[in-house]
Amino acid sequence: MQLTDLSMVELARKLAAGEASSVEAVRASLDRIERLDGKVKAFLLVDGRGALAAAEASDARRRSGTAQGRLDGVPVALKDLFCTEGLATTAGSRILEGFVPPFDATPVRLLKQAGLPILGKLNMDEFAMGSSTENSAYFPSHNPWDLTRSPGGSSGGSSAAVAARLSFAALGTDTGGSIRQPAALTGTVGLKPTYGRVSRYGVVAFASSLDQVGPIARTVADAAALLQVLAVHDPLDATSSASVAPDYLGRLDAGVAGLRLGVPREYFELDGLDPEVRAAVEAATRAYQTLGATLVPISLPHTKYALATYYLLAPAEASSNLARYDGVRYGLRVPAGGLREMYAQTRRRGFGPEAKRRIMLGTYALSAGYYDAYYLKAQKVRTLIRQDFAAAWSQVDAILSPTTPTTAFRLGEKVDDPLAMYANDVFTLPCNLAGLPGLSLPCGFSRAGMPIGLQILGKPLDEATVLRVGQSFERAHDFVRAPPLGEG
Amino acid sequence: MKLSREEVHQVATLAHLALTPEEEAKMQEQLSAILEAVETLRELDTSSVEPTSHAASPVEGWRDDTVRPSLSVDQALGNAPAHVGTSFAVPRILE
């Protein structure tokens, strides 16, 4: 068994016991990246030098008895949406090619303070817009379970890296499902915390009222350990919650006896829900009964309007957030005669088709004469969706559903049909609109051997219950597995 | 289709995006399809519903109006495609 087969928590134990060093862990990861990332294509940038320097510092701290905390020395990698000081950050786009941030995003600063070496930056759909990494300006990533298939998106590089054991864990972001969907498609654990739980400072913005930072990891315990590092109030993010995070690992093994778990019928009535996914998730709900929870059928009546709501609100916010990419202060500049021409040509060359599509849609939805019918209307439906969940919390402690309607699709299959691509997120979107925490973990495999994800949604700021419910299932089953990728 | 070519062109101008005629045609088709799909929201009576702009808890209080360290001029200009002194240089704005 190799170091790279260990979970973060297992590696942390070995480091604490002096049975392994952080330098060894980084070297093992870098070695595996070199052997396998040619096939997986998870990384946009590998920072071997920086990671080894951080690992040496971690080992030195450990020798002098001043280790920073539980995860000191455990290597991670970051979706390329996080500003990293001195290290190129592209957001998966040509318009930021060569951009080197002069500061660290708060989540990055927190990871560094906790002593985690950073292996590099991971591939993603451009500006987090997409569900497959096929919108990356650079190249698509490949699903380690079947290299002809997508690892999901937009945090597809993150999910692929974790599934292929190229990194012990990764950070991603989730605006409409971009942590949970890739986790489901790659048999990993993905957590989107409550909106406001983790700072967005220094995280390239897509849709500011929906974006959230979270971990993709191999186990629920690893996700909990990472969340503990990230869940800190940040005065630099005005939407950062003042709520103090509880001890997530401490409460993880409380079990589910006595908990009420909601099963929302609208999620299981969807036309496009793959029968194998349905079967695996239904089996998971029955397993929870065996574990001592009570299943409660519930209704979230406005579920079917979430897709339309999201595809008005998110592009509208994106059109505003992406207005800053104009060739003036950073990133790509296409020289032109006048200023407006420079803007137009820079954005023409720098943005890919999906980014342009969403900017156009958002601009239209916000424009005079259409604002009320589209953007304002969507904000009101958002209220109805939030109210559905608020009503559910009086009956249940958490909600179970499939994470995605299908298992991983083939690269190229949905790229020419935007609406088909958007449909990947039908189960994940409502959670972002309502600002709730959501977890995806593996609950089975299809006959073709592709992972299936179970989604657990929780009350605002109640990640502890979501993680506990996830842990209970994970520990009672054997779905934490490595893909048959070979050694390269 | 829900959007005319003229509207596509107007929106592209507002968004500072230069599109070729082929791109405009494709955009017209795809955006119209998406706008068609979001029509379902009309089914809902939202006349007495308040809009939600975000799910964050209300921001408590204000910070003191004190100066804090920020980026240096060099850091701020570090990624500039062109600069003159301490300013970003851009093409002519006015004739």
Side-chain angles (χ1 to χ4, degrees):
Chain A
M1 196 216 43
Q2 305 165 67
L3 270 186
T4 49
D5 289 327
L6 298 175
S7 71
M8 292 187 96
V9 169
E10 287 167 343
L11 176 64
R13 265 190 225 119
K14 284 210 184 287
L15 294 175
E19 290 163 16
S21 71
S22 179
V23 167
E24 283 170 344
V26 167
R27 286 226 168 93
S29 301
L30 291 175
D31 181 60
R32 199 169 162 81
I33 290 166
E34 192 169 312
R35 282 184 284 112
L36 292 168
D37 201 39
K39 289 194 280 195
V40 176
K41 313 281 281 168
F43 281 86
L44 286 173
L45 178 87
V46 178
D47 181 25
R49 176 137 40 109
L52 282 169
E56 277 157 12
S58 173
D59 288 337
R61 280 192 296 273
R62 205 168 285 286
R63 282 192 296 273
S64 66
T66 55
Q68 283 300 104
R70 184 189 298 270
L71 297 180
D72 196 333
V74 178
V76 287
L78 310 172
K79 181 178 190 177
D80 204 15
L81 202 56
F82 292 86
C83 281
T84 40
E85 186 179 342
L87 209 55
T89 299
T90 66
S93 179
R94 288 273 174 231
I95 216 165
L96 278 178
E97 195 168 13
F99 172 65
V100 180
F103 70 106
D104 278 331
T106 295
V108 177
R109 181 176 55 79
L110 291 171
L111 289 180
K112 286 183 178 178
Q113 266 170 20
L116 286 83
I118 293 166
L119 293 167
K121 311 301 288 294
L122 295 164
N123 196 25
M124 51 180 288
D125 286 290
E126 181 179 12
F127 288 107
M129 300 174 181
S131 310
S132 68
T133 70
E134 290 168 294
N135 293 326
S136 167
Y138 298 97
F139 42 75
S141 296
H142 298 254
N143 193 315
W145 289 89
D146 176 341
L147 296 170
T148 69
R149 295 181 190 269
S150 165
S154 59
S155 312
S158 303
S159 64
V162 174
R165 277 109 172 92
L166 306 180
S167 178
F168 290 84
L171 284 199
T173 62
D174 188 313
T175 304
S178 291
I179 284 174
R180 291 162 288 149
Q181 181 254 20
L185 301 193
T186 55
T188 52
V189 174
L191 174 69
K192 183 201 88 67
T194 309
Y195 184 82
R197 184 55 102 182
V198 178
S199 172
R200 291 177 299 109
Y201 178 77
V203 185
V204 176
F206 158 22
S208 307
S209 81
L210 299 162
D211 293 344
Q212 255 312 265
V213 170
I216 294 180
R218 289 176 221 168
T219 64
V220 174
D222 284 359
L226 266 177
L227 180 64
Q228 201 76 64
V229 175
L230 301 169
V232 178
H233 172 65
D234 183 14
L236 294 174
D237 175 356
T239 60
S240 173
S241 171
S243 155
V244 175
D247 175 5
Y248 294 118
L249 279 171
R251 299 177 171 197
L252 204 54
D253 292 297
V256 295
L259 288 185
R260 301 159 304 165
L261 302 178
V263 182
R265 69 159 202 270
E266 290 82 5
Y267 284 59
F268 290 85
E269 282 168 1
L270 183 81
D271 254 336
L273 177 57
D274 183 288
E276 289 189 275
V277 172
R278 175 199 298 281
V281 175
E282 283 176 345
T285 62
R286 288 191 299 272
Y288 272 108
Q289 282 181 309
T290 311
L291 291 168
T294 306
L295 295 181
V296 179
I298 60 170
S299 172
L300 298 170
H302 296 94
T303 299
K304 68 178 183 181
Y305 300 104
L307 189 64
T309 304
Y310 176 86
Y311 276 101
L312 282 172
L313 294 179
E317 295 184 12
S319 72
S320 176
N321 281 323
L322 268 57
R324 69 193 68 183
Y325 304 106
D326 56 12
V328 175
R329 289 160 299 159
Y330 42 73
L332 178 74
R333 173 186 291 195
V334 174
L339 188 69
R340 287 189 191 284
E341 190 60 19
M342 182 191 87
Y343 289 164
Q345 292 303 325
T346 297
R347 291 159 68 80
R348 167 182 169 53
R349 177 103 63 87
F351 289 135
E354 184 63 35
K356 286 178 184 165
R357 204 158 23 235
R358 297 203 194 188
I359 289 169
M360 292 285 290
L361 188 54
T363 303
Y364 181 76
L366 289 171
S367 62
Y370 296 109
Y371 178 93
D372 283 1
Y374 290 116
Y375 185 70
L376 190 60
K377 181 79 181 179
Q379 284 195 318
K380 292 184 174 192
V381 179
R382 185 177 185 175
T383 302
L384 296 176
I385 291 168
R386 288 188 83 189
Q387 286 172 352
D388 281 359
F389 283 106
W393 300 133
S394 62
Q395 305 170 60
V396 300
D397 304 299
I399 293 171
L400 304 175
S401 84
T403 308
T404 57
T406 67
T407 57
F409 44 92
R410 291 200 194 280
L411 291 165
E413 193 181 306
K414 304 197 185 197
V415 127
D416 292 321
D417 187 352
L419 282 170
M421 189 66 89
Y422 298 164
N424 281 301
D425 296 328
V426 284
F427 298 138
T428 49
L429 296 172
C431 166
N432 297 85
L433 292 167
L436 305 173
L439 178 79
S440 179
L441 70 157
C443 72
F445 291 83
S446 69
R447 276 188 304 275
M450 296 306 294
I452 295 169
L454 169 72
Q455 177 172 246
I456 303 168
L457 302 179
K459 298 179 196 174
L461 299 173
D462 195 15
E463 288 84 1
T465 298
V466 169
L467 289 164
R468 165 187 167 189
V469 171
Q471 175 78 340
S472 173
F473 182 87
E474 181 187 281
R475 296 290 90 206
H477 296 85
D478 173 36
F479 296 127
V480 178
R481 299 181 198 167
L485 199 53
E487 292 305 310
Chain B
M1 287 197 261
K2 291 210 74 76
L3 279 187
S4 68
R5 278 295 285 271
E6 177 61 22
E7 281 178 309
V8 172
H9 189 78
Q10 275 169 8
V11 172
T13 305
L14 282 175
H16 292 295
L17 282 175
L19 299 176
T20 65
E22 294 78 34
E23 285 173 327
E24 268 188 8
K26 189 123 198 247
M27 197 61 88
Q28 184 191 13
E29 213 180 281
Q30 289 176 334
L31 291 183
S32 294
I34 296 169
L35 288 170
E36 194 63 55
V38 303
E39 282 293 303
T40 54
L41 296 187
R42 288 196 197 285
E43 289 166 21
L44 295 169
D45 176 10
T46 53
S47 49
S48 54
V49 180
E50 283 301 302
T52 297
S53 60
H54 67 83
S57 345
V59 177
E60 308 284 333
W62 301 77
R63 72 173 178 91
D64 293 333
D65 185 13
T66 52
V67 175
R68 291 193 203 158
S70 181
L71 292 180
S72 69
V73 170
D74 282 342
Q75 283 174 316
L77 290 175
N79 285 287
H83 69 274
V84 172
T86 59
S87 304
F88 295 97
V90 295
R92 188 179 297 276
I93 299 171
L94 296 171
E95 282 303 321

